[in-house]
Amino acid sequence: MRQYEPIESKYRALLQSNHDTSAPAVAMSEGVSVSPALRKTADAEARKQWGAGFVKSVFLSSQWTQFKNPKWPYQVMHRSMDVDFIVKEGDNHFVYHWVLKEGVSGGKGTGAFSIMARMKQPRKEKVNYK
């Protein structure tokens, strides 16, 4: 099975590039207001991920969602906010549906942020960005 992994990854990349060029563009997400410090943090994390291709972050929520430990429901593991990241790749703009995540200690945010892909939505979609 391992011998087919390089072929499989090339095939997936080919399908993704074909989808990127031929898929219809989706509407731009409507954003909400957040603090300039939080926006700056999200932008910095996005630049780490996509470099010069990063264009803009669009917050979809201004409230944190807490994720608790299933065994100890009083223990908050982390909190997150939905964010769409607009990225330019070639001649197209894409929206990546990700979340901004912050670690929690003692019920308060630690200031350690990261971004990660959302599980229930597509990783990226072509977007009409003007």
Side-chain angles (χ1 to χ4, degrees):
M1 230 26 202
R2 285 188 141 352
Q3 63 201 25
Y4 296 113
E5 285 179 4
I7 295 170
E8 182 181 7
S9 65
K10 287 180 184 176
Y11 180 67
R12 284 186 185 185
L14 177 66
L15 287 178
Q16 183 66 49
S17 67
N18 185 38
H19 179 267
D20 290 349
T21 56
S22 63
V26 298
M28 189 67 188
S29 303
E30 292 291 324
V32 298
S33 293
V34 295
S35 71
L38 192 57
R39 182 170 301 281
K40 185 177 178 182
T41 300
D43 291 352
E45 290 296 322
R47 281 191 190 89
K48 286 183 201 174
Q49 179 71 29
W50 293 288
F54 169 70
V55 176
K56 180 181 180 179
S57 59
V58 179
F59 281 81
L60 304 179
S61 169
S62 61
Q63 301 296 317
W64 290 101
T65 302
Q66 292 186 345
F67 292 89
K68 297 181 179 183
N69 188 324
K71 291 185 179 182
W72 299 285
Y74 54 84
Q75 181 186 20
V76 177
M77 298 182 337
H78 70 272
R79 59 188 193 162
S80 67
M81 248 186 226
D82 291 339
V83 184
D84 284 353
F85 295 103
I86 310 300
V87 178
K88 185 171 184 189
E89 296 176 6
D91 294 336
N92 296 312
H93 285 87
F94 293 94
V95 59
Y96 282 79
H97 305 288
W98 284 37
V99 295
L100 176 67
K101 186 172 128 177
E102 181 183 22
V104 174
S105 176
K108 297 180 181 175
T110 61
F113 293 94
S114 63
I115 58 174
M116 60 185 266
R118 275 189 239 153
M119 296 298 187
K120 294 183 180 177
Q121 288 196 349
R123 186 169 162 246
K124 74 177 186 178
E125 296 177 291
K126 191 189 304 183
V127 68
N128 284 327
Y129 181 76
K130 302 288 181 208

